[in-house]
Amino acid sequence: MRDYEEGNLQENEENIEKTEEVAATIEEPAEIRVEESGIEGEEKKEEAAAVSAPENTAAAEPKKKKRYGGWIALGLTGAVLVVAMLFFAGFGIYSLVTSNGFVQNSGGISNGGAGGGATNSDFSGIDLNSRPEEEREPSPDGKLSTTEVAELVSPTVVAIYNYGKYSSGGRETYALASSGSGIIMTEDGYIVTNAHVVDGAAKLEVVLSDGTTYDAKIVGSDEKTDIAVVKVDESGMNYAQFGNSDQIKIGEFVLAIGNPGISGGGENIELTGSVSFGIVSAVDRKIKVDNSTLYCIQTDAAINPGNSGGALVNMYGQVIGINSAKIQVDGYEGLGFAIAINKAEPIIRELISNGKVMSRAMLGITGTLIDASTAEQYGLEQGLMIVGISQNSDMVYRGVMVNDIITHINGEAIDSFDKASELLDSYKPGDKVTISVFRYVRGGNNIEFDAEITLVSEADMDDLEIE
């Protein structure tokens, strides 16, 4: 300990000698030492002052001052290190957040972009990237994707506008009465649609998917099957491919393509070319419409007003049905119906060839239904009461008369128009059927007999008004 103190005294004496040497060349050395910053300058000042102190004091005081100053220096250094650590930690957190693409600003947190670091202040727009090239292998069974089917068939589906003729101020004018859809069948402009789409038309317009507009004329219409054919005067048209509807299965995917919601001509089409997707819910579904029985494909693809006459398409891009919004089941949703193309095809051929259906077998009469309650009330038999007989009907030669009631056809009881139509659908004009006849005789004995009748076509009944 003694050696340590003697060492300090010796060091102080050396410092004093150096100070005196500096003072010989520089004025006011005390002011210069005061201007030195930090604890080190203060300590040296105190050490210099301690030289003139008594020996014991010089040995103790500088030692205490030096220890106290060391702790202050250590504390300040630690504080600086803590501040520095907090600063770099905060900067690291900020860098981490912004590198993940999120920046806090006065407007809230916004996405800085996939590359990170972007802020609202340097935001120049959203980068729109092209979708990856799609390499789709052809399906082994030839099926197409929904987008491929839509691209293939949509150009062959048209909008049809039905205009009525009206008189206004002594002048005739046309006004839109109804609208629907149609399917181009041939390159020379034959188009199939629903009969109710063109019913009563004084003028027809057809609008293609690209907006091209044509005047059209009705080739033929069949109310019983709700099928009609119209034609535009054009060649080289893009036409649809048709499939075999007898091959469809329940659960198959289908697309319905049409023009729901259309309300005007040309550029005023609202929802033209709409495509809906669904499955086949049933095949060969019997639906009664206006005293007729239609055999339909049922689907849950949306078929709305304006879709009538549009295409029901399978996943091979083939039209398998003609949509009809007229065929509906009240109180239910998700039920759409299309006339099976296999049922429609012979009707379409006849309409193009003859303007009407010639092959449909008919009895050659008009009639009214006598139901069970009416028959019981008046003492009659249930069946079809004859109101009119065509002069071309075989009935005039078989003793059948107006007001007679046809109760059976080939032994099948007739309790509705649908039943009679269903039975006759399996025959052609010229075929023979046996009918059972009931004749009411007032005040006498009623007469019942059978007669073999040769069936006729609709063309043979021009002298009768058939509804």
Side-chain angles (χ1 to χ4, degrees):
M1 185 68 178
R2 179 73 176 178
D3 293 339
Y4 175 80
E5 291 178 352
E6 290 177 353
N8 283 341
L9 288 174
Q10 184 178 356
E11 179 180 353
N12 289 338
E13 289 174 356
E14 291 174 355
N15 289 337
I16 291 171
E17 290 176 357
K18 290 180 180 179
T19 301
E20 289 174 350
E21 292 175 359
V22 173
T25 57
I26 302 176
E27 294 181 359
E28 299 179 353
E31 292 183 5
I32 292 175
R33 296 189 63 81
V34 170
E35 289 175 356
E36 291 182 6
S37 61
I39 297 173
E40 181 180 357
E42 188 68 21
E43 288 178 348
K44 289 183 178 181
K45 179 180 178 182
E46 292 171 355
E47 288 174 358
V51 173
S52 60
E55 182 176 341
N56 291 340
T57 304
E61 289 296 325
K63 185 176 180 180
K64 291 182 180 178
K65 293 288 185 177
K66 190 171 182 179
R67 284 185 178 179
Y68 180 75
W71 283 109
I72 292 176
L74 182 61
L76 289 176
T77 302
V80 170
L81 290 175
V82 169
V83 171
M85 291 174 63
L86 291 174
F87 171 80
F88 285 111
F91 180 80
I93 293 172
Y94 172 80
S95 299
L96 179 62
V97 171
T98 55
S99 67
N100 284 332
F102 294 94
V103 181
Q104 179 70 42
N105 53 56
S106 59
I109 295 177
S110 62
N111 195 339
T119 65
N120 281 351
S121 61
D122 61 11
F123 179 77
S124 59
I126 298 172
D127 290 333
L128 302 179
N129 299 307
S130 298
R131 63 192 297 174
E133 289 294 331
E134 193 172 338
E135 297 181 1
R136 182 179 181 273
E137 294 292 333
S139 175
D141 57 4
K143 289 183 179 179
L144 306 175
S145 68
T146 53
T147 53
E148 289 171 330
V149 172
E151 290 172 359
L152 178 67
V153 182
S154 291
T156 70
V157 178
V158 302
I160 298 178
Y161 298 97
N162 179 336
Y163 293 89
K165 183 183 288 188
Y166 303 92
S167 296
S168 177
R171 300 177 59 184
E172 289 187 339
T173 184
Y174 293 98
L176 183 65
S178 63
S179 58
S181 305
I183 308 165
I184 302 174
M185 298 184 294
T186 64
E187 63 177 356
D188 58 344
Y190 281 98
I191 299 168
V192 63
T193 185
N194 289 141
H196 73 268
V197 170
V198 301
D199 184 36
K203 176 184 176 182
L204 283 178
E205 281 185 350
V206 167
V207 181
L208 305 188
S209 60
D210 64 2
T212 305
T213 302
Y214 298 95
D215 288 331
K217 64 179 182 179
I218 299 175
V219 175
S221 182
D222 184 55
E223 183 179 355
K224 179 179 173 65
T225 56
D226 196 28
I227 295 172
V229 174
V230 303
K231 190 178 187 306
V232 299
D233 187 14
E234 186 57 272
S235 61
M237 300 190 76
N238 190 6
Y239 59 94
Q241 300 293 325
F242 293 83
N244 185 350
S245 59
D246 288 343
Q247 293 178 328
I248 63 174
K249 298 179 181 179
I250 294 173
E252 280 190 33
F253 292 135
V254 289
L255 269 65
I257 304 176
N259 305 284
I262 53 182
S263 61
E267 297 179 354
N268 293 323
I269 297 175
E270 294 179 0
L271 302 174
T272 181
S274 292
V275 178
S276 56
F277 178 74
I279 64 169
V280 174
S281 305
V283 297
D284 208 28
R285 180 78 78 192
K286 278 199 310 184
I287 304 293
K288 296 179 181 179
V289 181
D290 297 338
N291 295 322
S292 298
T293 299
L294 300 179
Y295 296 88
C296 301
I297 302 167
Q298 180 185 327
T299 177
D300 64 350
I303 298 175
N304 296 297
N307 274 117
S308 288
L312 187 70
V313 191
N314 64 18
M315 298 312 296
Y316 300 95
Q318 300 170 327
V319 177
I320 55 171
I322 303 169
N323 300 325
S324 179
K326 181 179 180 180
I327 308 171
Q328 295 180 344
V329 179
D330 293 337
Y332 295 88
E333 295 183 359
L335 297 179
F337 297 94
I339 302 166
I341 201 64
N342 284 31
K343 300 292 184 182
E345 190 270 341
I347 306 299
I348 293 169
R349 286 187 180 276
E350 289 200 59
L351 292 177
I352 293 175
S353 298
N354 308 311
K356 60 174 65 176
V357 177
M358 305 288 287
S359 65
R360 185 177 295 126
M362 308 187 77
L363 291 171
I365 65 168
T366 57
T368 185
L369 181 66
I370 303 297
D371 59 22
S373 61
T374 302
E376 183 178 359
Q377 181 178 357
Y378 294 99
L380 306 175
E381 291 290 331
Q382 182 176 342
L384 294 178
M385 177 178 282
I386 300 172
V387 174
I389 301 177
S390 170
Q391 61 183 2
N392 295 317
S393 173
D394 194 36
M395 288 192 181
V396 297
Y397 307 106
R398 307 301 174 199
V400 182
M401 302 170 57
V402 171
N403 293 328
D404 284 351
I405 299 173
I406 300 174
T407 59
H408 296 76
I409 297 176
N410 284 347
E412 295 280 347
I414 306 301
D415 56 7
S416 66
F417 284 110
D418 287 340
K419 181 65 175 180
S421 295
E422 184 180 339
L423 290 171
L424 294 176
D425 280 344
S426 58
Y427 296 95
K428 311 184 295 290
D431 290 345
K432 296 181 180 295
V433 296
T434 299
I435 61 172
S436 298
V437 179
F438 171 87
R439 181 177 297 161
Y440 173 76
V441 179
R442 185 186 300 273
N445 295 325
N446 297 328
I447 298 173
E448 296 185 52
F449 64 95
D450 290 341
E452 187 178 62
I453 303 297
T454 300
L455 300 175
V456 297
S457 69
E458 184 174 333
D460 295 325
M461 298 181 60
D462 289 340
D463 59 324
L464 290 179
E465 183 178 351
I466 303 174
E467 297 182 357

